Amino acid sequence: MTAISSSPTSASQVLERNISQFNDKSVLVAGAIEDTYAIELAKVCNSVHVFTTYYSAYQALQQSDQIELDFGASFTPETPLEVDAVIVYLPKTKAEVDYLLANVVPQIKMGGILYLVGDNRGGIKSVDKQLTPYSSNKANKLDSARRCSLLALEISQACQPFQLDDWLTTYPCEVKGERLDIVSLPGVFSAKELDLGTRLLLENIAPLKGNALDIGCGAGVIGSFLLKQNPELKVEMTDVSALAVESAKLTLAKNGLNAHVFPSDVYSEVGQRYTTLVSNPPFHAGLNTNYGAVEQIIADAKQHLKIRGRLILVANKFLRYEPLFEKAFTHCELLTETTKFKLLSNYPD
């Protein structure tokens, strides 16, 4: 996820061009929110409710008392909101789109409008098939600008309330003789199979003592395996995504393991030091390559490591993380590598 901008992104600028669509309406905003435009939207709407699965967006929007704000893996208010309109910033994968629509469309009153806005390269041109459960109509294109499109669909079919269990994927995974069942929600890293970079890390990481933090935990694969391999280790896991946090909690429960899992935008909610920091960090934000998260993981690691603590990262071979390590720690150690991945660490102080 990219950093949350106080200025409107291209998608929000397209919404701004069509602001009259939302005058005096009750609106629910959800999806891949990358700015604080919902605060501006609240100035013309009767009410604005925001549902986000990204902790960074939740943190940025907390500044406003003009919007209702929900952060979590699912959106299931006790009674449907029955809003006039839902605005969905289109997520990057079809699985996430389906999951999000199942969450938010039940909150639209019959005859209300679902608005979808997103990058023309990101799937909005082929979203029609995913809308068939919600309307007998086709979505209308209202606008296209800044390489983004805005679609509108009148809701004409009733849909079932959202059920989280319907969206869970479970698969077995074995590393170094330890077997786990991984549970995941759509769009979460390692959602359907063990990533080869993660496997390289787990097969080559030395036995650990003390405490460890799994940064960007995804479905909880790394942290859970560390617990299996090191039963006395105290493990915590963080992720900016509520879907990942929920998936990691479910993976732990499925395997009878215990760890503290909490949302955090890299270190934003991390308040202690660890013997080991470990991560298979993301380097994409939406459709773009983005090193912001990994740069922060490395640059600020010392503040969250105990004396002689280690940061261990797995990375694609082409990513140049070594200079970041050298700047933060003076040295960078290559623990192992394959043709596609490498395992990097600092020299303990």
Side-chain angles (χ1 to χ4, degrees):
M1 189 69 177
T2 57
I4 302 302
S5 171
S6 58
S7 300
T9 59
S10 296
S12 290
Q13 289 176 42
V14 175
L15 289 174
E16 179 66 29
R17 285 160 54 102
N18 296 271
I19 192 69
S20 61
Q21 295 278 333
F22 311 108
N23 286 344
D24 300 321
K25 291 183 178 178
S26 56
V27 177
L28 171 63
V29 181
I33 299 169
E34 296 180 355
D35 60 25
T36 57
Y37 181 67
I39 297 173
E40 293 301 311
L41 195 63
K43 295 176 181 178
V44 303
C45 295
N46 182 44
S47 66
V48 170
H49 201 125
V50 176
F51 164 60
T52 180
T53 61
Y54 284 94
Y55 195 66
S56 50
Y58 174 74
Q59 287 180 304
L61 290 168
Q62 277 185 313
Q63 62 182 283
S64 173
D65 58 3
Q66 301 301 308
I67 59 177
E68 294 290 329
L69 184 59
D70 276 273
F71 166 78
S74 60
F75 188 58
T76 53
E78 291 185 7
T79 57
L81 297 183
E82 294 192 344
V83 294
D84 299 310
V86 166
I87 297 171
V88 170
Y89 289 86
L90 215 63
K92 63 181 179 178
T93 69
K94 287 184 179 293
E96 286 179 275
V97 173
D98 287 334
Y99 179 87
L100 184 61
L101 292 176
N103 267 277
V104 299
V105 174
Q107 309 306 320
I108 309 175
K109 67 183 183 183
M110 192 61 64
I113 307 296
L114 171 66
Y115 295 90
L116 300 107
V117 63
D119 194 296
N120 291 333
R121 302 165 297 164
I124 197 163
K125 291 182 177 180
S126 60
V127 77
D128 275 336
K129 289 183 180 179
Q130 295 172 272
L131 301 177
T132 53
Y134 308 112
S135 182
S136 57
N137 306 310
K138 274 200 167 187
N140 295 319
K141 180 186 277 191
L142 298 182
D143 199 1
S144 184
R146 300 188 176 276
R147 297 182 180 178
C148 292
S149 293
L150 174 63
L151 308 182
L153 178 73
E154 181 179 342
I155 301 302
S156 64
Q157 295 172 190
C159 56
Q160 295 298 313
F162 178 81
Q163 298 291 333
L164 185 75
D165 289 349
D166 294 342
W167 296 87
L168 298 176
T169 297
T170 303
Y171 65 91
C173 187
E174 184 171 329
V175 178
K176 293 173 70 174
E178 300 287 0
R179 185 187 185 279
L180 289 177
D181 290 315
I182 308 303
V183 185
S184 184
L185 288 165
V188 173
F189 187 69
S190 292
K192 295 184 178 180
E193 62 183 358
L194 180 61
D195 170 74
L196 292 177
T198 299
R199 180 176 289 279
L200 178 70
L201 185 154
L202 294 172
E203 288 179 343
N204 290 279
I205 194 167
L208 299 179
K209 295 181 179 180
N211 61 342
L213 176 66
D214 178 4
I215 307 167
C217 63
V221 176
I222 293 175
S224 296
F225 268 106
L226 292 182
L227 280 168
K228 289 282 282 188
Q229 295 168 347
N230 308 274
E232 301 302 314
L233 186 69
K234 291 183 172 63
V235 173
E236 294 193 338
M237 307 184 201
T238 67
D239 204 291
V240 74
S241 166
L243 303 183
V245 170
E246 182 67 19
S247 298
K249 289 178 178 179
L250 291 168
T251 294
L252 289 164
K254 181 77 172 177
N255 296 279
L257 300 170
N258 292 298
H260 180 210
V261 189
F262 57 98
S264 183
D265 188 1
V266 190
Y267 297 116
S268 69
E269 304 304 311
V270 175
Q272 64 169 304
R273 292 178 180 266
Y274 301 85
T275 311
T276 307
L277 301 174
V278 61
S279 184
N280 184 352
F283 61 92
H284 285 105
L287 298 168
N288 304 310
T289 300
N290 186 289
Y291 299 133
V294 73
E295 287 175 352
Q296 188 179 355
I297 289 172
I298 298 171
D300 296 342
K302 273 193 172 182
Q303 301 173 32
H304 301 284
L305 283 172
K306 296 179 180 178
I307 295 173
R308 297 191 62 78
R310 299 194 77 167
L311 168 65
I312 302 172
L313 294 185
V314 63
N316 288 66
K317 196 75 173 287
F318 67 86
L319 294 170
R320 294 289 298 156
Y321 292 166
E322 290 86 348
L324 300 176
F325 269 90
E326 291 164 2
K327 182 177 180 181
F329 294 103
T330 306
H331 299 288
C332 179
E333 181 179 1
L334 176 64
L335 300 178
T336 189
E337 63 182 330
T338 65
T339 56
K340 293 185 177 179
F341 297 97
K342 56 190 174 184
L343 194 60
L344 305 174
S345 180
N346 60 300
Y347 289 117
D349 295 332

